[in-house]
Amino acid sequence: MLHALTARRSGTRYLVGPDARPLAVVRRLPTGVRDRALLGALKIGRDTFA
């Protein structure tokens, strides 16, 4: 926060919090990859939606 408030040229967005950096990386992934990772994390099979 201090950097954002005191920088000569502040950025428009800053990553804040312990999970901000991993989420920023995940957002760059293609939608299909993101969906498969979410299904895997939740231990849900693809056949659940068929």
Side-chain angles (χ1 to χ4, degrees), residues 8-49:
R8 281 186 173 201
R9 301 178 86 185
S10 63
T12 55
R13 291 180 174 75
Y14 291 91
L15 297 176
V16 178
D19 58 345
R21 193 166 303 276
L23 286 177
V25 171
V26 169
R27 284 190 191 120
R28 293 183 187 164
L29 295 173
T31 305
V33 174
R34 226 181 329 171
D35 289 347
R36 280 192 299 273
L38 180 60
L39 289 174
L42 296 174
K43 296 183 175 147
I44 298 174
R46 284 180 160 185
D47 57 332
T48 303
F49 301 103

